[in-house]
Structures are given as structure tokens and as C-alpha cells.
Amino acid sequence: MVPYGSHGSEPLVDELFNYIDTHQDEFVQDLKDWIAIPSDSSDPLLRGDLSKMVEITAESLQALGATVNLVDMGEEKLNDGRSIPFPKAILAELGKNSSKATVCIYGHVDVQPAKKEDGWKTDPYNMTEINGNLYGRGATDNKGPVLAWINAVKTYRTLDQEIPVNIKFIIEGVEETGSPGLEDLIKANASFFADVDYIVISDNLWLSRKPALTYGTRGSAYFFVEVEGGTKDLHSGTFGGIIHEAMRDLVYLLANLIDSSGHILIPGICDDVAPLTEEERRLYENIDFDLEEHKNNGGVNTFLYSTKEEILQHLWRYPSLTIHGIEGAFSGPGSKTVIPSKVIGKFSIRQVPDMKSAVVQQQVTKHLEDVFAKLKSPNKLTVSMQIGASPWVADVNDPQYEAARNAITKVFGVPPDMIRDGSTIPLARIFQDLTKKSVMMLPIGGADDGEHSQHEKISRSNYIQGTKLFAIFFLELSKVHEELMAKKQP
Amino acid sequence: MVPYGSHGSEPLVDELFNYIDTHQDEFVQDLKDWIAIPSDSSDPLLRGDLSKMVEITAESLQALGATVNLVDMGEEKLNDGRSIPFPKAILAELGKNSSKATVCIYGHVDVQPAKKEDGWKTDPYNMTEINGNLYGRGATDNKGPVLAWINAVKTYRTLDQEIPVNIKFIIEGVEETGSPGLEDLIKANASFFADVDYIVISDNLWLSRKPALTYGTRGSAYFFVEVEGGTKDLHSGTFGGIIHEAMRDLVYLLANLIDSSGHILIPGICDDVAPLTEEERRLYENIDFDLEEHKNNGGVNTFLYSTKEEILQHLWRYPSLTIHGIEGAFSGPGSKTVIPSKVIGKFSIRQVPDMKSAVVQQQVTKHLEDVFAKLKSPNKLTVSMQIGASPWVADVNDPQYEAARNAITKVFGVPPDMIRDGSTIPLARIFQDLTKKSVMMLPIGGADDGEHSQHEKISRSNYIQGTKLFAIFFLELSKVHEELMAKKQP
């Protein structure tokens, strides 16, 4: 990594970098202050802290000169029947110059639960710096990145420099509990998004020690396959040997979903998988990804594939099928001689472009019904798709990706790894589907930040470099957007 | 069923029957008194009642003139670390005439838990007669039968008739919690069993409305098949598609245990199954067994076989294999995207004569290892047999079976159905293995008595006829034993 702070050809960049470097302790203190607020959205007893966190964020944005709108998100119904208000969402705007690009930044200020007793070495709500790492709940997910955006804007403001883009913020307080109401919020505020050109989400991690840009996530088609043999569980002594047992049918069905080489046995399932283009293939070549480290992280000895490229492609751009378990069968310790009457196998397929949930559902259902028909079982088969979440993929040649690549190269001295995420992160897809805007995931968290875990952290370096990255991203985005507009002019 | 009480050719029989008929209300009252004691062996708080129940039983036996030995059974260690005494076991002897046969009667006076709130229509501990049925916990399992034996002896005593056999009793108070200590008790009292000729257990049910004699039970070989893929559960987003998932291997292994026609796929598994002899085949012909009723009881629509003979043979004298469930996989409601790291499939084989647990273990292990080898999986397979309980079968031509058949025919006017039980009832096998004596299961409970269920009952008729049966059994046993001894004389 090259030392930062020296970009002589661009005096503004130097000035921004210099300011950020010299004010880093102030930025770190701001993060410490934010982390001190236990804005755990899963705990109704902490709802007051969470609302306070949203208010503080709103004040920070107002201090930057933004127009801030706190949107009521309704009430959360608790298990005990009572209701408490959801934290408000923030819609903020800074700048309305029609000649500039408008970027909308998504973030959240709620956090996962954390208790010292969970095994934290430090108090999760008292941010502690050890060896250049800032430990605390929300450090990387997502208070650090949200503050890095605010720091970046503040730098322009304090230096009295013109911000080269219009900025909007959408900040929520219930991301860790599944963003209830986010889709409704987006739909109800179509005018807020109307003049947005680019949406940026900085709420994930790099793949390695190299910076990264995320352009895709896999979807998920989650299936229940139910076999019903009778109306009640039976004893294997009094019925074993004379009935068509439901578990027998179910394990046979599950065994016909995928073979031992990882090949999915559902006819046609890969027909819609986008072919690997030469351009895409090249993206994998330089990605920094340590197979052995990933094995160690997962506690596994062997992968199905041997090269980095194959592994990443099978995690990101090819579908996978996992059998998660069975509901209704005996699952406890010890020995029980039950013949379960109704068993539900659960498996999911990670969908990739250009697979469609409706098609997958049809293919899976037909396959299971065909396999079941061969069994000539009198039992009842029911196949249902519980979740049909689409994959998301962006055009890596989109202007904001180009801008981010340039900015990353300027800050870190290397171009980013272009990565995807094998998991299903609905946010990008939701924004893309509902606003039809360009969406980018621009992480600043390190691969080992441990979001959701004990010892969550962000490194001081990633936090401060991330602040620079965001500041420079505004500049770069304005440049590519200008070029784009110029091209569009007749 | 023919009317009882008229066997003019045998005045003693008539006298016994007449006494039992005319004293039936007294016998029913005794059962009501016994049921009133909540001798639930599973509840430590009821241990006092249980011990009282054992004492009352001992007193009843003493009143018959028996020598009663109350054997200390040690202490039960509770979950909270404390210990309470197990109820004592009863070893009693009545008669020591070396020219007579000696029969040892097994019974238990503890009961399953029962609460009115569980759905009982009557108070389970206040025996209630409705339409000729005596409802109450322990009515059929096993207080009714134990009292029927006592009633039978009492009848001889009160009529001042010589009891034609020597009688021993072994009565325990923890059968419903698995008879801990019973094997040790038998081993430690070898001299008690030394002069015993026949052991009779009356602790099961008829198959239908016809009386029955039980000459066999299936054993159980219970297996855990564990597949370990890694050291921790993983997320299907970050590892799905690149690893050999343990669940995939396991469902394949389980699917290769049995086919959809009920045929066990383990090579050699049926090699040791005793061939069906012509004599045994004939036993099935007249058995009263209603296939449709058994379907209804089980809540199933279809059986694997269509004839009564096939169904009973596959329940009793052919092995069956049931897949009970999986430990370690996702088993809850809802959707969870876990890749379980270590999963344990659980299945059991009901063993029949002449299968040997050690051979079955070898065959199952080899088969699973062979199937697993074909998968070329890097995961770790471990097959273990958790339970290896042998089947039990008696010689239906044994003298005590002949005596019981004669007695049943005299009391009920029809010969008994010769039945087995598809379940694994360790008692008969334990007695046979440890004492090497002839063992018989002689039920008096009706098929619909609901042992272990709400509304447990015994019919007044079965209880009173059962008392007659036991009284006549002593007579018949002395006859066949005499003939046997005569034959053995040079």
C-alpha cells in the first residue's frame, strides 16, 4: 500500500487528504461517541437509545447544512401485544445543483446486540483502540462507514470547498432487524429518488486486505418439501415394516437434489445462468483471495474446486444448493423409535443472474414430483417456495463504478478487487428494483472486521482511508458524470 | 365367547369359577384401592406413594401365606444431585413341594404418569366403572394383572384347596422407568430362580377381542450414522457451492438403507432370518386381526402388504428399518440458511430370530462405508450401534404354553391367538438370558386398554376372566408338568 497524502498534481486532493489526516483523532472520537450509544434495534428496552442515535445522526447531517426530514416509520408490535414506535428514518438532502450528479448514500445506525458477557475482550459500547483497530459494536457495521461519509462532507465544508456532487442520505435504524418498512419508505418517497443518479451502499466488507467494489449478490430460493404419511407419529415396533414411511420418501427426494460433486440434479436449473464472458473472467484473475485462509475460516479441509477462480465463481456467479435440515423428524439427542408422520425437508438454492425465482420454483417442483412419482408412494407430497429473493448484479462499467475505481486507486494505490457476495443481501436489489437507479456497494470494512461477532472492529486505517475514499469519490464521480453528460449532449 | 362357570366334568374348576364370579365385586374393589395410590415411578415427589404401593403388595402376598423378601434396590440419583431410594423389589415364595412345578410370576406395581388435565374423562386415580370398563391409571398396566394373580391364589386359599404348583413372585416398582436394577436383582438372586420351571409375564395386551399368548418380540439395533464436514456450522451464502456438505452425504446414505417397497438394502441383512416353517405359517391363519382397524389406529391409508398374514409376519418375524430423524441439522420451523457441519442420522432395525446384533452391526457398517466410499467425499463417516437388543422367541410347544392354551380354551371357549409383538420388550429376553428358564407372556389386557394413554382401563370381564384364567393355569400347568415328569422317568 502506498503512503497516502501525496497527490501533487491535484491540490484539492492533497488539501482534503491533509485535513483528514490531521483531524483523524477528532473523527475517531466521533466514532467513539456514536458507539457509546447502544442502538441495538433488536432490544425494545433500548429503543430510547436507538431513537437518540437517529436524532444525533440527523443533527450531524443538519450541521453539514443538509435539509433533514425525519420520517415516521410506524409502530413495532411486540410479542407481548404492546407496541413501541420504530425509530424514524432520515431522508436528507445537501445541494440541488442540476448540473451536478446526485448521489444517494444509504446507511444505518442501529447495531447487532452485544454484551461483554458474550465474550468481548473490551466493553462493546466503549470503543477501545488496540494495535490500530477500533473495537466496538457498530464500528464497521455500520456506524464507521456512515461517519466516514459525514467526515468526508465535513472536510469539504470546513475547508470551504465546493462539494462536487449533490448528496442525499437515506439512513435507517432497523437494518439489523430486516429493514421493515424500507420498501414502503422508498415507494412513498419516489420524488426524493427522482433526481438521484447513483445510489451507494457502504455496508459490507472487503474480501481480503485489498480494497474492493461489490457488484453482485446471489439470490435465494428457499423450499419446503413436505411428505405426509399419516395423521400421527407412530411407534416403529407397532408399524415398522408395514407402512410407507414418510422419512424414507423424504431422504430419497433430498438425495436426488444434488450429487457429491456439487452438481445440482434439477433438470434445466442452470439453463438461465448467465454465461461467463471474457470480460467477467478477467475480473477474477487478480482478485486477492487466499483459499487456505477461507478454508481455515470455515473449519473445512477440502473444497470442491481447486483454483481461486473456480471457488469464487461457484460462490458468486453459479447457483448452489444446500440441504439445511428436516422439520418434524426426531432431532434430539439419544434414541427414539418414532416413525414421524409428517416431515418437511428444507433446502435452498442460491440464485444467480439470470435465474428467475418463478422458473426455479417450477423446475424444482416438477423434478421433485417426478422423482416422487417413481417411488409409487401413497404418501402426500407438497413442495412450496418460502422465499424467492432475486440475485443482484450491476454493470461494472457504470460511471459510478469507474469513479469508485479511480478514487480507490488514488487513495490506496491499487485498483479494487471487483467482487460479489455469495449471500443474499436484499438492499441493493430493493433499491435497484424500486428506483431503477444505478446501485453500487462500496465497502470500507476489512475482511476480518467481524460484523455481527464479538470483537467487531474497524481499523483506524480503514476508517480514515475510507473517509478519504468517500471524499475523493465525490470528485471522481463529478468528473465521470460530467464526461457522461458531455457525451450525451448533441 | 361361551358362558363361563359350567365345567361339570371338573368340580374344582366349577368351584373356582363360582367363587371368582360371586366375589368379583370384592376383586374390583381391591383394584380400585390399588389404583387410588399414585405409584408413578417417574415422579420423585410420589416416591412415598410408590413405596407404600410396594408394601401393600407385599402384605397381600403375605396374607396368602407367602414368604416375602423386600429387596433394597439402592438409590436413584436425581437431576438436581440429590438421591432418593428406589422402591424395594419383592421376591416372594409360596409352596416348596419338589414334586410340583414351580412358576415364577413377574409383575410391577408402578404406573405411568397421569393427570386429569392430560385429557382424562375420569380421575385417573379414582377407578370408575363405565359400561363394563374399569378406568384408571394402572388398571391394565400392571395392577389389574398382578391383582388377578393374587385373586387366583386367594381363591384357592379361601376355598381351602391345594394350590397345584409352587408359586414365586418377582414384583418391581420401576418398570415404567426402564427397570433399572432388575438384571442385577436377577443375577444376585440366582438361588431364587434355581428351582423355577416357568416364568410368566402378564404385562401386555391381546391383539384383538380374542385372548392371546405372546411367544416373541422383535429386538432393536439402533444406529447413529454421523457425517462430519467441518468444525463449525457455516452460512450457505459464504460456503454454499464450494464444499462437500455433510447433509448431502447423509441423505444419500439414508436413502440407500431401504427402498420404497420396504425392502432393506443392506446386503446379507436377511440371511439369518429364520425361515417360515409350515407350523409357524399355520399360526397366522386363524389370528383375529382387522387390517382396517389397525390402519385407523395408526392414521394411515395404505399398508405395504395386503393380507393379514403378510402384515403380521412383517410386524413380528421379519426385520424392519425405520429412519427416525437427524440430529445436528436445522429442525425448527421457518427458514434458516445454515450448512450444518456435523449431522447424525438415526435409524433402527427391528431384529428378528435368528439375527445377531453383532452381525447386523457389521453388515450395516460395511454397507454404509461402501456407499460412502462411492461418494468420494472428504467428510468423516462414523457408524455406531447405540442399542443392540436381541429379539425373543419362545417354543410354542413348551409345556407352559400348552397349559396356557388349555386354560384359555377352558375359560374363554376358544384357543388363544398365538401372537408376537413387533416392539422390543426386554423383559422376556432378560429373564430368558439370565435364568435360562422357559418364559411366557400371558396377557389378560384387551387390545383397546390404552396402556400409557389417557383413559387406561381394563374391562371387568377381562379382569375377572383373567383371574379365572390364572387359577386354571395353575391346574393345567400342574397337569402338563406331571405328564412331562412322567415321560422323563425311566
Side-chain angles (χ1 to χ4, degrees), chain A residues 235-242 337, chain B residues 204 207 214 216-220 294 311-320 348-352 391-392 419-425 441:
Chain A
H235 186 272
S236 66
T238 44
F239 284 90
I242 62 169
T337 54
Chain B
N204 65 320
L207 183 66
T214 305
T217 58
R218 289 197 290 190
S220 175
H294 198 54
I311 292 292
L312 292 178
Q313 286 163 15
H314 281 277
L315 274 179
W316 296 347
R317 58 113 50 239
Y318 291 120
S320 66
S348 68
I349 297 171
R350 293 281 170 186
Q351 305 185 87
V352 297
W392 167 71
I419 67 172
R420 300 198 198 185
D421 196 308
S423 307
T424 306
I425 307 173
M441 290 173 69

Side-chain angles (χ1 to χ4, degrees), chain A residues 30 87 136 147 149 160 171 173 192 194 208 246 266 284-285 305 309 333 403-404 407 421 427 442 452:
Chain A
D30 287 345
L147 265 177
W149 284 114
D160 204 19
I171 310 281
F192 177 85
S208 66
I266 299 156
Y284 289 89
E285 281 173 6
Y305 309 95
E309 287 79 359
D421 197 307
L427 276 175
L442 172 58
H452 295 205

Side-chain angles (χ1 to χ4, degrees), chain B residues 397-399 402 479-490:
Chain B
N397 297 316
D398 181 275
E402 194 187 331
K479 278 192 230 167
V480 296
H481 191 72
E482 227 163 79
E483 284 163 26
L484 188 75
M485 290 301 107
K487 272 186 214 160
K488 279 189 181 164
Q489 298 283 328

Side-chain angles (χ1 to χ4, degrees), chain A residues 140-280:
Chain A
T140 196
D141 182 15
N142 182 225
K143 289 177 176 176
V146 170
L147 265 177
W149 284 114
I150 291 175
N151 299 340
V153 176
K154 199 182 195 177
T155 301
Y156 279 94
R157 281 285 188 234
T158 318
L159 292 173
D160 204 19
Q161 292 284 358
E162 186 190 349
I163 301 171
V165 291
N166 303 314
I167 302 175
K168 295 193 177 194
F169 289 93
I170 174 166
I171 310 281
E172 64 165 324
V174 282
E175 195 272 348
E176 299 296 358
T177 54
S179 299
L182 179 66
E183 292 189 52
D184 288 343
L185 178 72
I186 298 170
K187 285 178 197 162
N189 289 277
S191 63
F192 177 85
F193 292 97
D195 57 357
V196 166
D197 299 299
Y198 309 103
I199 297 173
V200 189
I201 302 165
S202 181
D203 189 22
N204 65 320
L205 305 179
W206 295 351
L207 184 65
S208 66
R209 283 167 201 86
K210 256 176 81 183
L213 263 179
T214 305
Y215 67 97
T217 58
R218 290 196 289 190
S220 174
Y222 201 110
F223 288 90
F224 283 11
V225 48
E226 176 185 303
V227 180
E228 188 174 358
T231 56
K232 54 184 170 186
D233 286 358
L234 297 171
H235 186 272
S236 66
T238 44
F239 284 90
I242 62 169
I243 59 170
H244 300 77
E245 299 183 8
M247 268 297 272
R248 200 276 145 191
D249 292 347
L250 181 61
V251 296
Y252 189 80
L253 290 166
L254 296 177
N256 276 279
L257 289 171
I258 181 164
D259 72 14
S260 56
S261 63
H263 176 71
I264 302 176
L265 301 173
I266 299 156
I269 196 80
C270 288
D271 289 357
D272 290 338
V273 174
L276 181 71
T277 64
E278 185 54 28
E279 184 191 2
E280 191 194 334

Side-chain angles (χ1 to χ4, degrees), chain A residues 13-28:
Chain A
V13 173
D14 281 350
E15 201 183 345
L16 293 167
F17 280 14
N18 189 45
Y19 180 90
I20 294 167
D21 277 335
T22 51
H23 290 75
Q24 59 173 274
D25 285 345
E26 179 190 322
F27 296 148
V28 168

Side-chain angles (χ1 to χ4, degrees), chain A residues 53-175:
Chain A
M53 185 66 233
V54 172
E55 279 159 31
I56 286 173
T57 309
E59 284 162 17
S60 301
L61 294 171
Q62 271 161 340
L64 300 176
T67 317
V68 175
N69 182 15
L70 282 166
V71 186
D72 198 288
M73 297 293 277
E75 297 207 315
E76 180 178 6
K77 188 135 196 174
L78 302 180
N79 285 336
D80 64 6
R82 288 178 304 164
S83 294
I84 53 170
F86 274 120
K88 290 184 163 58
I90 298 171
L91 295 180
E93 303 185 43
L94 183 63
K96 227 177 159 53
N97 184 332
S98 62
S99 69
K100 290 181 185 174
T102 300
V103 60
C104 175
I105 294 157
Y106 165 88
H108 66 90
V109 290
D110 61 319
V111 296
Q112 284 278 318
K115 288 202 189 94
K116 185 89 168 65
E117 309 89 86
D118 295 341
W120 282 72
K121 284 178 208 148
T122 58
D123 178 348
Y125 295 113
N126 181 12
M127 195 188 84
T128 309
E129 183 165 5
I130 303 171
N131 294 333
N133 286 318
L134 309 169
Y135 291 93
R137 177 54 90 217
T140 196
D141 182 15
N142 182 225
K143 289 177 176 176
V146 170
L147 265 177
W149 284 114
I150 291 175
N151 299 340
V153 176
K154 199 182 195 177
T155 301
Y156 279 94
R157 281 285 188 234
T158 318
L159 292 173
D160 204 19
Q161 292 284 358
E162 186 190 349
I163 301 171
V165 291
N166 303 314
I167 302 175
K168 295 193 177 194
F169 289 93
I170 174 166
I171 310 281
E172 64 165 324
V174 282
E175 195 272 348

